[in-house]
Amino acid sequence: MSSGKRNGSLVPAEFQDEAFLAKLDPVVEQLKVDVPDAKYERKGLAQLILQLRQFMENVMGKNGIAKTYPKLPASLFKDFRPDGAIAIIAARLHQFKKTRGIRQIDWNNPAMRRQVLEIVNHCRRELEKVKLIKQPVILLHSTLAPEEAARMKEAVAKMGGQLASGEEDPNITHIVYRVCVCVCVCVCVCVC
């Protein structure tokens, strides 16, 4: 799956491609067992994936209004196992619609934005429970200035990450170093 050049928009034709739809077959079969009243079929599931990913990009992405909410990792949308991420997400979205009495999620409706963000976070928690998403463990390198470290601690907490206990922590997933920006000044001397 690719996204539009630098703007994050997805290419709908890729979600209608027969090769992609065929990969959804095991997921659809499992969903028929797990949530039979959802009546998922592969084109509908492909459309659901497209809409969810585009919602996350529009609302939670680089130019979104809810950037503090982390998007679901794109790699999860390549998990076509019957008990994988796509199946879990589809089941949670169906449960959301059922409990709210909604026939269809209006992804572009600003009035529903908070509810959809809520369900994305619910999906994230569910995926964390089954260890398909791991919380990032961040080491703030000692080169960071105290004010930078404080800002980073706040950002890590907002995004649901954890701070590493020290440099020896085996669970570290990211290290944040101080960024040093050097400015070069060129001096030209003219001799007449």
Side-chain angles (χ1 to χ4, degrees), residues 44-65:
L45 183 57
Q47 187 68 20
L48 181 73
I49 294 167
L50 170 65
Q51 291 171 333
L52 172 59
R53 288 189 62 196
Q54 193 62 60
F55 170 83
M56 289 190 305
E57 188 57 43
N58 293 347
V59 176
M60 304 158 79
K62 180 180 175 184
N63 298 316
I65 58 168

Side-chain angles (χ1 to χ4, degrees), residues 74-86:
S75 61
L76 294 176
F77 296 97
K78 297 175 185 171
D79 184 356
F80 299 104
R81 294 173 299 142
D83 61 344
I86 293 175

Side-chain angles (χ1 to χ4, degrees), residues 8 19 21 52 58-59 68 70 103 106 111-112 126 128 148 153 156 169 172 176 182 192:
L21 295 174
L52 172 59
N58 293 347
V59 176
T68 57
R103 290 199 68 206
D106 185 357
M112 276 196 78
E126 197 68 30
E128 287 169 356
E148 290 174 320
K153 284 179 185 177
V156 168
D169 189 335
I172 294 173
V176 179
C182 299
C192 299

Side-chain angles (χ1 to χ4, degrees), residues 141-174:
H141 197 265
S142 58
T143 58
L144 285 174
E147 59 275 358
E148 290 174 320
R151 279 197 322 266
M152 291 306 299
K153 284 179 185 177
E154 186 178 311
V156 168
K158 275 184 183 178
M159 298 298 276
Q162 300 172 336
L163 291 173
S165 57
E167 289 187 23
E168 298 79 32
D169 189 335
N171 300 316
I172 294 173
T173 59
H174 299 76

Side-chain angles (χ1 to χ4, degrees), residues 30-43:
Q30 187 62 43
L31 287 169
K32 286 179 182 176
V33 172
D34 293 346
V35 281
D37 58 324
K39 295 182 174 64
Y40 278 118
E41 43 83 28
R42 60 190 200 160
K43 285 186 178 182

